[in-house]
Amino acid sequence: MRPIQSKMARVATKLTLTQVSEAAGVSRPTVTRFENGDTVRPESIEAIKTAFEAKGVIFIDKGERIGITVAK
């Protein structure tokens, strides 16, 4: 998952930074740092990704084509 995909996923799921951090079990500043492109531990990124996937988010990363979709 890339930082922009986290932002896309938050918008698509209508989750706040606080809700994402709580669902992922990481701090709110960690989510913010990740979305700003700062260095974040790989375990934290995986936790954030897993939290979004639990909400139905599917991450697309095919080279220059990156995005998300949400399963219904």
Side-chain angles (χ1 to χ4, degrees):
M1 177 179 67
R2 299 185 193 199
I4 190 67
Q5 289 173 300
S6 180
K7 291 178 185 179
M8 291 177 190
R10 267 196 314 108
V11 170
T13 58
K14 299 179 181 170
L15 293 174
T16 65
L17 286 167
T18 300
Q19 290 169 319
V20 173
S21 71
E22 289 172 354
V26 300
S27 71
R28 186 178 185 275
T30 296
V31 178
T32 300
R33 283 195 320 273
F34 175 64
E35 290 189 356
N36 287 337
D38 297 332
T39 302
V40 176
R41 292 185 342 209
E43 313 83 69
S44 297
I45 297 169
E46 190 59 33
I48 296 166
K49 182 179 179 193
T50 299
F52 283 128
E53 289 173 335
K55 297 289 185 182
V57 176
I58 299 167
F59 295 91
I60 302 162
D61 194 340
K62 305 218 184 247
E64 292 183 24
R65 299 177 73 195
I66 58 171
I68 65 142
T69 189
V70 181
K72 293 189 178 193

